Each structure stands twice: as C-alpha cells, then as structure tokens.
Amino acid sequence: MRSVRSAPAPVTRRSSPPGPGSLTPTQRRLGRDWRLAALFLTPTAVLVGVLVLVPIVQSIITSTTERHGADNVFVGLDNYAALPGDGQFRAGVVNSFVFTAYAEVFKVVLGLAAALLLHQLRRGRALVTGLLLVPWVVPTVVTAFSWRSLLDPIFGSVNTLLTASGIGPLLASAHLVDSWPAGWLSDPSLAMPSVILVNVWKGVPFFTVCFLAGLKAIPADQYEAATIDGASAWQRFAHVTLPGLRHVMTVTVTLSSIWTFNNFDLIWLLTQGGPGNATAPYVLVAYSKAILQLQYGAGAAVTLVMLPVIAGLVFILVRALRADAGTKSAGRARKALPWVVAATVAILLAWASPQIFWKAAVVLGVILLIAAAVGRVVSGLQAKGGRRASSLVSGAGSGVALAGLLAFVLGPVYWIAVTAFKSEGQVVTREHDLWPTPWTLEQFGALFTNQPFGRWYLNTVLVSTASTAVALVCAVLGGYALARLRFRGAQGFTVTVLLTYVMPGALLFIPLYQLLIGVRLTDSMWSLVLTYPTFTLPFATWLLSGYFASIPAELEEAALVDGCTRVQAFRRVVLPLAKPGLLAVALFTLTNAWNEFLFAFVFITKDEYKTLPVGMQSMIAGDVVPQGQLAAASLLVSIPVVVMYAFGQRFLTEGLTAGAVKG
C-alpha cells in the first residue's frame, strides 16, 4: 500500500484540475482531456455522423432533385414549391396536426387524473402502476392488431359490448356516431377518432409515470400551507399542483408531441392511412412518394419542410414555459401563455376538424364535470365537518375512477390473451367471446405451421441484441466523456446528441434507404443492425451522461490518487457503480429495437429477413385477418418485453431517475 501511495507526482495532480500553467498549448486550446475525449467519443461521433448528419445533408440534396427514368435531375426548389398545391400533402399535414393535438390533450387529462389517483393510493400502488404500464410496454404491432380486432364492425367485441349495454344505440341517438353498429376504422368520420383513441391508450402510461414522479417532488408543506390558508381542493390543485408540474408537463408534452406528430407505424398498422386519406399523416405521404412512387426528391421535401415548423414550435414553447419572470408583467404573461396556446390550438382544431372537435369536447366535458362534481361534494362535506363522509365519498369516487381506468387499460390485453387460446371455430363464430371453452393451443400450432414465425423471432432477437450491444458500448464511452472529461466542444456535442435524439425517423428513412441501396445492404439484417443506432444511441448517450454525472467525482479522484489511470478508474470504479443506468439503457434500447417497424418495413421485403412487427403485418392478406394467429403471435412477442420490464423495474427506476435529473 505504501508503494501505491508514493505514486509519481503527475498522477497525484490528476485528482484536481491542473492550473493554467501546467497545461500544454494544445491542452489550453482543446481542453485538458482532449485526447481521451477524442478516443471515447469517436465511435459515437462516427455513428451519429454517418447515420444521422450525413443522411440529413443527403436528404436536403435529394429534395432538390426529381427522378427522370434512371437519373435524378436537379430541379432546385420545385419540389417545395409544389407542396402547397398538393392536396395529399395538405391533408397529411392537417391529419398530423389533428392527430397530435387531440391525442396530447386526452393524454394530459387522463395521465394527470391517473397520477393523482395513484398518488393518493395507500396500498397496492406499485402493483397498479405496473398494470398501467402494460400498454406502454407491449409492442406497437400488438397494440395495433388487438385494437384492430376489437374495433372490427362485425367480429369486434367493442360493438358487441356497447350494443349489449345499450350504450351503442345511445351514441347513435346523440349523433356521436353516424349509424350503429359503427365502422370504427372504416367510417371516414370515425377513423381518426379511433386512431386517436388507440394512441391515447398507448401513451397514457408514459404521462402517468412522469406526472406521478412530478407529484412526489412537490413539497408536502406547500399543500399544508394552502390548507391552513383555507384553500379548497380545486385551489390547491390550481395553485400548487399545476405550478409544481409545469416543468414535467413541458418536457413530457414536448417529447410526446414530437413522437406523435411523426408517428407512422401505429396509423399504418391500423388503417394504412384510410379510408381514403382520412387518417394519412404527412409521414405516410412521404413514404408513398419516396418508396411507392420512387420520387425520392418529393418525399424528402415533405419531411424536410415540416422539420423547421416542429423545431420552431418546440423551441418557442420550451423557452416560454421555462423562462423565469423578471417582472410582474412577465409573470402575468407566463401564467397567461398556456391559456393563449390552448385557445389557439382549440380554434385551429375547430377549424380543421369540426366533426371531431365537438365530439371531443363532449367527452372531455363529461370527464371534467364528473371530476368537478365529486370534488364539490367532498369539499362540501369537509366544510360541514363531515370528514368521515367526505373520505368515504372521495374513496368511492377514486375507486370507481381507478376501476374504469384499469378496465380501459387492461381490456385489450385481456382480449389478446384469451383469443390466443381459442379454437378457430370460437374465433369465427364468436362463441365464448370472453372466456375460451375449451382452452386450446390450436392457434400457436397454426402460427408456426403456416408462417415462418420462428425465423422472424430469431431475426428480431439477433438484430435487437446486436444493435443494443453497439449502442450500449458507444453510449458508455460517449456518455462518460460528456459527463467527466474536459475538452473544447463538449457542449456542442451534447446539443448535437440531444437534437438527434428528437430527430424523427421520417427524416432519415429516405436517405438511409438510398444509402443502403448504394452499398447493396437492403434485404439484409445488417441494414437494421447498422441503422437502429440512429434512434437508440442518442437516447442512451444522453441518459448515461446524466447517470455518470450523478456518481460522486471524489470516488474517481481517490482512485487516481491510488495510482489508477483515468481509464482504469473508469473501468474499476465508475462502471460498477453505473450498473443500474447500464441496465436501464440496455432495457430501453433493446425494447425500442424489438418494437421498431418503419425501418424494417422499408428496408426488408424478403420473408427470411423480416422481423416480428413486419412479419406480423404481412400475415394480413387483404380483408383476410387471421385473428387467432395474430393474437397468439402478439402474446409471444409481448412476453419477453413484459418479463424484462418486470425483472428490471428496480434498476429501470433507479437508472432513469438519476439519469433524468442530471441529464
């Protein structure tokens, strides 16, 4: 131990930043740790540069060309100039806006309600939270096929249950649907609301978890002070809860809006943009022009023309909501901004989709009226001194609301599970719809006999594992460099990583497709292994950078004093302590790769190379939908993800919490 303590002076000085005089001219220009930073950041920089930045530049160049035969001819800005007169593009932009705006409104309302219910729950909170996470965990392809079957006008259980309960005819008499039984995905007036409903079902768990974390961070003494001052439940909600959740709401809504606005897989799997163009978003328009019509320039123009709009709106929204009010008038403006934004969005929605607007207003109005009525009753009982009665009413209302929420969340999942074990006769004749009689493995046997399902499963495992390994290794090195090393350009590199994190896949699939054609890697699993880091690596790097920053630097300094090099301290001290963050990142990247649809759908056409989401989509031939086999496939696809989340929940929570706070 004595020999370790008597390490050379340069090693000892590494425990604290050297003074300006001890740095070489190169270190003063590029930063103290520029050599190690260059070594650690090179893999991430190469992947981000080759797979994200270069394709974006290539997409800009492609958007100025037009295909004539086998050649691409330079046409300048003609593709952009043609967009305002393109009815398909205009419809796609409106559809994307309508889809995103309505979905975000309902996800905020339902997610906040669910978070408030869980926050007040004394027993079983972890179990209920885990159940609510199921829609977020299951793959998108499973979500689409389960809801597509449930909403089938003839064989779907939704129409059957609504008819049996008398709600269906009531909806028709209230003109919420045009006729009964309703064609949820085939009726132009119902297709968009139905797609929004499915997206809300998928996204509410994400909002619930984020809002629940925000509620836990609000100090309890703020509620106590408000109660002492005589504030009612509504006043505490308006003046304590909402301001306390402002930051969480901003981040959650911003990220979710970007994802929703650029959604392709869910809409494609549900309706393929139909009927007509009733649900076709702008991403599907770009896919149609570039992949189906081979007009790469027009398709690239569609994606690029929307990017500045999204970036500008996100920048203005985040800066405005985060800005600290320096004056009283600025404070008033900040408080008024959300209402101005809400009013503007409402006016645009009423203009763009009047049929959906009043239906959504009725549904939201009913939800808010019920919540307000229960809150008023509870407040009235409390004012009269009936604490026990108010607790009973509040508990009963919360129980009913929680039961309804769980039924909404778990209903489609239950349908998948029971349908997978029905015989083909039960599926077709609708016998024993809610409980298989008898239980059978017929659908699983037919799945492996009629489809190359085993091949798809193996492809998905190989691609997901390989892409996760690549992303994890690069993210570990890059995240540590951004969190610990001092070098010039660190902030710029961090901003680049964050920008590529929110970069829509719609912007990349066209240039990446051209790139893969050029190197002859289409219809190859290598095309997926190489391109999946475009959406897994930026998130992994950002999260691990935050997690590494949360580890006390003194531990590394002690290792440096004991004679370790920076690399040895990283390997022996930092990596073991970062295990929760590493597991959280591995879980997220593996899940994203497991569920990915757009790239696999565009780059792979041969059955032997398809992954599970694309393979399951190919099982549908026209109007022939093998519901039983799809349910069996959905169950087999979901089980690994659910099991991973169940066993990794503790590490996931710890890793995300530390990474999110610092990142």
Side-chain angles (χ1 to χ4, degrees):
M1 191 67 178
R2 181 182 302 273
S3 61
V4 174
R5 287 295 181 182
S6 60
V11 175
T12 303
R13 287 199 299 269
R14 296 174 74 179
S15 63
S16 60
S22 62
L23 298 178
T24 65
T26 304
Q27 287 178 321
R28 284 196 291 269
R29 288 195 307 269
L30 302 180
R32 186 190 68 191
D33 304 315
W34 72 272
R35 292 180 182 275
L36 190 59
L39 177 65
F40 275 28
L41 287 175
T42 294
T44 301
V46 170
L47 284 177
V48 170
V50 173
L51 298 177
V52 180
L53 300 182
V54 171
I56 290 176
V57 174
Q58 180 62 37
S59 183
I60 295 173
I61 297 173
T62 300
S63 68
T64 62
T65 65
E66 183 175 322
R67 187 182 181 92
H68 288 283
D71 300 323
N72 290 325
V73 179
F74 178 77
V75 294
L77 300 178
D78 288 357
N79 287 321
Y80 295 94
L83 292 179
D86 188 337
Q88 188 182 18
F89 170 74
R90 293 199 307 270
V93 173
V94 172
N95 286 338
S96 294
F97 168 72
V98 169
F99 175 64
T100 302
Y102 284 116
E104 296 310 305
V105 169
F106 278 98
K107 281 187 279 192
V108 168
V109 172
L110 295 179
L112 182 56
L116 291 171
L117 290 173
L118 291 175
H119 189 59
Q120 297 173 358
L121 198 62
R122 300 301 178 188
R123 297 180 180 178
R125 181 188 298 174
L127 175 61
V128 176
T129 303
L131 293 176
L132 289 177
L133 278 175
V134 171
W136 187 45
V137 170
V138 298
T140 301
V141 65
V142 175
T143 299
F145 287 136
S146 59
W147 276 99
R148 183 169 175 171
S149 299
L150 287 169
L151 296 175
D152 188 278
I154 299 175
F155 300 105
S157 298
V158 170
N159 277 352
T160 301
L161 293 175
L162 292 179
T163 300
S165 63
I167 298 177
L170 183 62
L171 294 176
S173 61
H175 301 290
L176 290 174
V177 297
D178 295 334
S179 60
W180 195 260
W184 299 102
L185 297 176
S186 58
D187 187 338
S189 64
L190 291 177
M192 181 60 80
S194 300
V195 172
I196 293 171
L197 169 69
V198 179
N199 182 264
V200 170
W201 180 83
K202 181 77 172 173
V204 162
F206 173 71
F207 278 72
T208 301
V209 172
C210 293
F211 291 165
L212 185 60
L215 289 172
K216 292 179 180 179
I218 299 176
D221 55 2
Q222 294 187 12
Y223 288 102
E224 295 173 0
T227 303
I228 293 173
D229 291 339
S232 64
W234 167 253
Q235 289 172 329
R236 293 194 298 270
F237 174 75
H239 298 290
V240 179
T241 303
L242 287 182
L245 291 177
R246 180 174 61 88
H247 173 75
V248 175
M249 282 188 172
T250 301
V251 174
T252 305
V253 172
T254 300
L255 289 177
S256 180
S257 297
I258 295 172
W259 299 334
T260 306
F261 193 82
N262 295 290
N263 188 283
F264 173 84
D265 48 358
L266 183 64
I267 297 177
W268 176 267
L269 292 168
L270 282 170
T271 64
Q272 296 189 1
N277 290 321
T279 60
Y282 88 96
V283 183
L284 197 148
V285 175
Y287 167 80
S288 176
K289 291 181 179 295
I291 307 301
L292 300 183
Q293 302 173 19
L294 297 181
Q295 292 296 334
Y296 301 125
V302 169
T303 60
L304 287 169
V305 79
M306 299 306 301
L307 186 61
V309 177
I310 300 171
L313 290 176
V314 170
F315 176 80
I316 293 172
L317 178 64
V318 173
R319 288 297 298 268
L321 292 180
R322 287 187 176 182
D324 293 328
T327 63
K328 186 176 180 180
S329 60
R332 287 196 298 266
R334 185 183 65 177
K335 292 180 180 179
L337 181 63
W339 299 105
V340 173
V341 173
T344 303
V345 172
I347 292 172
L348 291 175
L349 287 175
W351 167 77
S353 57
Q355 291 184 341
I356 303 177
F357 182 79
W358 76 268
K359 296 177 183 178
V362 169
V363 175
L364 276 177
V366 170
I367 295 174
L368 296 177
L369 283 175
I370 293 175
V374 174
R376 193 175 185 84
V377 170
V378 173
S379 298
L381 291 173
Q382 289 177 343
K384 295 178 180 180
R387 179 172 296 181
R388 184 175 181 182
S390 65
S391 298
L392 290 175
V393 173
S394 177
S398 299
V400 172
L402 196 58
L405 183 64
L406 286 174
F408 171 68
V409 166
L410 299 178
V413 180
Y414 173 80
W415 184 90
I416 293 172
V418 297
T419 303
F421 293 97
K422 294 178 182 177
S423 65
E424 189 63 27
Q426 292 180 62
V427 173
V428 174
T429 61
R430 303 292 310 283
E431 294 180 357
H432 308 289
D433 199 31
L434 299 179
W435 190 258
T437 306
W439 289 67
T440 176
L441 298 177
E442 175 185 331
Q443 302 298 342
F444 294 92
L447 176 65
F448 283 94
T449 301
N450 301 333
Q451 308 290 343
F453 188 77
R455 180 74 254 179
W456 299 339
Y457 216 103
L458 180 60
N459 291 344
T460 305
V461 171
L462 294 176
V463 169
S464 301
T465 304
S467 60
T468 298
V470 171
L472 190 59
V473 170
C474 295
V476 166
L477 299 176
Y480 177 79
L482 295 176
R484 283 286 196 263
L485 305 182
R486 296 185 179 183
F487 61 97
R488 184 177 298 276
Q491 185 175 2
F493 197 94
T494 303
V495 171
T496 302
V497 169
L498 290 175
L499 288 177
T500 54
Y501 171 49
V502 298
M503 197 68 64
L507 183 66
L508 301 176
F509 79 90
I510 296 175
L512 286 176
Y513 181 67
Q514 292 179 289
L515 175 65
L516 293 173
I517 289 178
V519 296
R520 298 183 179 181
L521 277 181
T522 53
D523 279 324
S524 164
M525 287 196 296
W526 281 108
S527 65
L528 304 183
V529 173
L530 294 176
T531 57
Y532 278 7
T534 58
F535 57 85
T536 58
L537 179 58
F539 170 77
T541 304
W542 171 74
L543 185 63
L544 284 179
S545 174
Y547 196 89
F548 286 139
S550 70
I551 298 175
E554 292 80 3
L555 299 176
E556 284 181 86
E557 293 173 0
L560 294 175
V561 170
D562 286 342
C564 289
T565 65
R566 197 62 181 259
V567 175
Q568 289 174 331
F570 166 68
R571 181 169 57 87
R572 297 177 182 178
V573 177
V574 177
L575 283 183
L577 294 175
K579 183 174 68 172
L582 298 178
L583 291 176
V585 167
L587 181 58
F588 261 89
T589 53
L590 184 64
T591 303
N592 287 333
W594 186 273
N595 298 343
E596 202 282 327
F597 178 80
L598 177 59
F599 286 1
F601 181 64
V602 174
F603 302 156
I604 303 296
T605 59
K606 296 181 180 179
D607 274 344
E608 58 265 33
Y609 299 123
K610 288 180 179 177
T611 58
L612 284 170
V614 180
M616 290 174 63
Q617 190 269 342
S618 67
M619 291 170 61
I620 299 177
D623 295 332
V624 179
V625 181
Q627 292 187 8
Q629 294 180 41
L630 283 173
S634 299
L635 197 62
L636 293 176
V637 170
S638 302
I639 287 176
V641 181
V642 174
V643 170
M644 285 190 296
Y645 272 84
F647 283 98
Q649 184 177 7
R650 178 172 64 88
F651 296 105
L652 178 66
T653 303
E654 184 178 347
L656 288 181
T657 300
V661 169
K662 293 294 182 180

